[in-house]
Amino acid sequence: MTRSRALLLAFAIAIPLVGAATTSGCSTEDPSAAPGLDGDVGAAGAPPLDPCADPSRSGCPCADEGAVTDCGTVKEKTGDFVLCSQGTARCEGGKWGECKGEYQIIKSQGAVALSTGKGGVQPLDVSPPAMCVNNPCSPSCQVIGDSSAGVPAQDGGPVPTDAGGYTLSQNTVTAECNGLQCFQVQCPGNGTTSISGVVYDPSGLRPVSGALVMIPNGPVPPLPSGVNGTSDCSNNTLPKAISYAFTAANGSFTLTNVPVKSNLPVLIQIGRWRREITVNPVSCSNVAVPASLSRLPKTQAEGNIPKIALRTAGCDAFECLLRRIGIADSEFTNPGGTGRVHLYRTGGGKKINNSTPDTGALLNDVNVTKGYDLVMLPCDCGSEYNTQSNTRRTNLQTYANLGGRVFTSHWGREWVEHTSWAFVAQWYGGGTCGDYGCKNPMVGHIDTSFARGLAFQQWMNAVGIAGTTFNISPMRIDVRKLLSSQAIRWVYGWSDNNPGAHPGAPDAVPDFTFDTPLNIPDSQKVGRVMYTDMHLADPSGSPGGTFPGGCNNPTGNISSQEKAAEYLLFDLGGCVGAEDPIDVTAEYEPATLSRDYSAVCPVGKRVKWRLFNWKASIPTPPMGVTTAGIHFDVQTAETPAQLASATQVSLGDAVVSNPTTWNGADVDQKLVAANLKSAPHLRVTMLFQPSSDGKQAPTLLAWEQMFDCVDSE
């Protein structure tokens, strides 16, 4: 079938115009004047337009004698549509001759796209080119402008774009909008209302990487304490987000298209750290959140702090690290107290008072252990190495396998080496030396071969540690290398600090983690264990005594290895397994547009629906986001009433931009493949789908439907 032998229906949306249909666009065209130069008009009240704005108009100048060009003339108008005769004209005597029609086309006065939030279709609101006003049937007029002034907005559907065509409309302030969505505003010039800032640790001194910052569109349920066999990746427990971002390595974030509302809620969360604040946005401007609000909570009064069991010990003061991170002293209590950090102790560890219990009170009963979000077991100077009961070891493993987080150091190897986890690493016999030597400090090399390691290195750079190395002192060397791909190496080194003498063969792994349970798919894991050979004892204090005694300089600068430990502590509490995506209150929602067409053929002929073509603009989505698109279906029936129950047949999808060329599918071929045949009535259904993050919408610029009249069977 050649195009010149087919009948062509070119459509956009046919919505009755309110008050504007007779004042602008094609509605002002006088069909009787279209073929020649007489009777050219502009919009109501406007001066006459250049009749030769359409370069192929009969009687207008032409340069190449004998040249042939496509042309079109108006045959008649009905409602929002014009019936055009499309054909060719020849250049004769310096002027274009009569347009000789070869096929007919029905054009609409608009094109279609989706609007944000509500779904539906609205007419164009653009100023048509002069040639479209003079002659809407000109082939040069691809989109016929239709001034929709006075046409009420239609909630939830495609809306006009400034450049012509339709796209998904954004949510508007109506009774049908959803919560804080009702306070989002459209800004001129692609502007936006935004909130920006930096998330810090509770001390306010160091940024937090990978924290979620979001505007919740509904109440935020409280975080649980303890473990129950599920991962902390269940973002579906959060309300839908109006806008969200994850902080960069330097802790920075920006939220865009935020509602303009006083005391707007903003949620900051990483693992089971959470703070909820309020911000007062300024319409179409940016508001910077002060650091005093964007840091994680020091106390429960400011937000949620993970429930931590800390077994203090004589050779590593984890309690001082938590204090330096910024947790207030009031949050350190004995078990049963109101604080979020419960102290247990060995003989050389700090205590709250003489009632502070020992290790057994934490690990002898797994139900006690399961009540915590994080269990910290720092180096005990070897006093409990190889002395723990199988009950305690098993209970700790059970806890981790149910979603618990474990942080241990040096002689805390007991909890890995003497359990079924031992196979993840190759252990030295004990001491301070590796295969090559006993250098102290040892240079730690950050492993940047994986994404989380690279993020670690970027964060260390952001807090003043240049490059990919840092000094570790005092250094202990317990792990030669990792033996399981289930474990992640964060830091490695050479015990003689001479990698050139042993290229590619480090002999020390100071920091590694693994997710639990082991030996199951990563997506099903829920817990995490962190082992470090870095000691975190306060260099200006001492491990023992009554807390906080011996923890000096609670808010000052911390060592490079303490910075590393802080980062790994926040990573320890992060997502394990398959992370649920943040559920967003979409800027755009899917919407459907259906158009019904009829074809009348002479006696002895029947209709054969041919190509359905479209031109579309599809935005390129960011990485990890599924592209927006438009899906096309057809139904055909003998009568209009039968269309609703007719079999729906898929035509194809607009998932790539083709704003200047036609893409399409042969309707009859699709029908035949479905054991159907063309009938006189056709329904084309167009499903506009936004991108998977709800932030981008497709635009259908133009479409057309061809048909033939063929011999009846």
Side-chain angles (χ1 to χ4, degrees), residues 54-141:
D54 173 10
S56 63
R57 188 79 174 266
S58 177
C60 289
C62 57
D64 299 323
E65 188 71 15
V68 176
T69 187
D70 291 333
C71 60
T73 57
V74 175
K75 301 294 290 183
E76 64 177 280
K77 283 196 315 175
T78 304
D80 297 327
F81 293 89
V82 289
L83 176 63
C84 304
S85 174
Q86 304 290 129
T88 58
R90 180 181 296 274
C91 181
E92 298 173 338
K95 294 183 179 181
W96 289 112
E98 179 184 357
C99 182
K100 297 182 178 180
E102 297 178 354
Y103 58 95
Q104 296 188 49
I105 180 173
I106 297 177
K107 280 190 172 184
S108 74
Q109 299 179 2
V112 192
L114 282 178
S115 65
T116 61
K118 306 268 183 12
V121 177
Q122 295 180 5
L124 285 173
D125 189 9
V126 296
S127 299
M131 59 187 166
C132 298
V133 175
N134 282 348
N135 181 12
C137 292
S138 167
S140 301
C141 180

Side-chain angles (χ1 to χ4, degrees), residues 409-432:
S409 67
H410 193 202
W411 287 111
R413 61 189 277 179
E414 155 79 15
W415 305 106
V416 180
E417 182 188 12
H418 295 152
T419 68
S420 61
W421 294 334
F423 72 92
V424 301
Q426 188 178 84
W427 302 89
Y428 285 111
T432 61

Side-chain angles (χ1 to χ4, degrees), residues 426-464:
Q426 188 178 84
W427 302 89
Y428 285 111
T432 61
C433 297
D435 291 334
Y436 308 140
C438 309
K439 285 290 185 180
N440 189 32
M442 190 187 85
V443 177
H445 297 252
I446 300 173
D447 191 337
T448 60
S449 64
F450 62 109
R452 283 163 61 197
L454 181 60
F456 175 33
Q457 179 250 320
Q458 292 170 340
W459 183 86
M460 290 286 278
N461 294 165
V463 296

